[in-house]
Amino acid sequence: MGTGDPVIFLHAAICDRRMWRAQMEVTGATHQAIAYDRRGFGETRGEAEAHSAIMDLLSVMDALAGNRPATLVACSQGGRIALDTALQHPLRVRGLVLISPTVPGAPEAAYPPAVQARMAALKEAEASGDLERINAMKAHLFLDGPLQREGRVGGAARQLFLDMHGAALRAAPAGASRDDIDTFRRLDEVAVPTRVLWGSFDFPHIQARSRLVSTRIRGAVGHELPGTAHLPTLDQPDAVSRLLTSFI
């Protein structure tokens, strides 16, 4: 959408490009807003072959943004791709907005007892292959928040999550990743303006990790979003859009 400096949106591994609908519309008013489905998500088919998510991103940039550096807006696993691209190809990245980013090499997750019980139940559902139950449980954990009541977020936002994650659960595996970077150890090498966001209802270890990222990247600004979990673009789209607009 739109024209101007490119802003590229990288979705979480439990969603697809549709998680960015509201932000695409706002950003496209002043910039070239680009969102794509990664391998095996949404409308993109994944083959069972080794691949690089970084190179996939660069291919999208080459096709749509040319030689212009892009601002990367990324959530969860998309944050890993954005950070790794900024480390490996710094001239291609203008800035980073990271929402609850996944960071290889970060401290392992430590779950409080209540969350541990829910994760154990999820593991049982995954072992049974019950995709509908897995989908509902992931909605509780990541959309509502692991310590919040199930169904806290309803309506169109919940249905969109169930559609996106349901499609990801049914998709064929896309193969192994070739990207292997000690991202956490190298955060101080990131040299572009960065904003890190996280929700106060997210997993405690993800909140802690996001705070660490905001302190280890030089000049980064951290911001907690109250009353939302891992996917604030779905249940607080206006708040995320305001922060994004002020950044870019």
Side-chain angles (χ1 to χ4, degrees), residues 79-140:
R80 171 182 182 168
I81 299 167
L83 281 166
D84 288 351
T85 303
L87 289 169
Q88 297 292 86
H89 303 275
L91 297 181
R92 305 297 301 271
V93 179
R94 183 177 184 177
L96 296 170
V97 177
L98 307 170
I99 302 174
S100 303
T102 298
V103 187
E108 292 292 326
Y111 299 119
V115 178
Q116 182 63 52
R118 292 202 168 110
M119 297 306 292
L122 175 61
K123 189 173 181 179
E124 290 178 4
E126 290 173 337
S128 73
D130 186 341
L131 299 187
E132 288 190 11
R133 184 178 173 215
I134 295 168
N135 204 11
M137 294 177 77
K138 288 284 191 75
H140 185 185

Side-chain angles (χ1 to χ4, degrees), residues 1 6 16 21 29 57 71 89 91 96 142 146 163-164 194 214 219:
M1 295 183 180
D16 57 44
R21 281 174 175 170
L57 169 58
T71 299
H89 303 275
L91 297 181
L96 296 170
F142 291 99
D163 287 347
M164 292 188 293
T194 301
S214 71

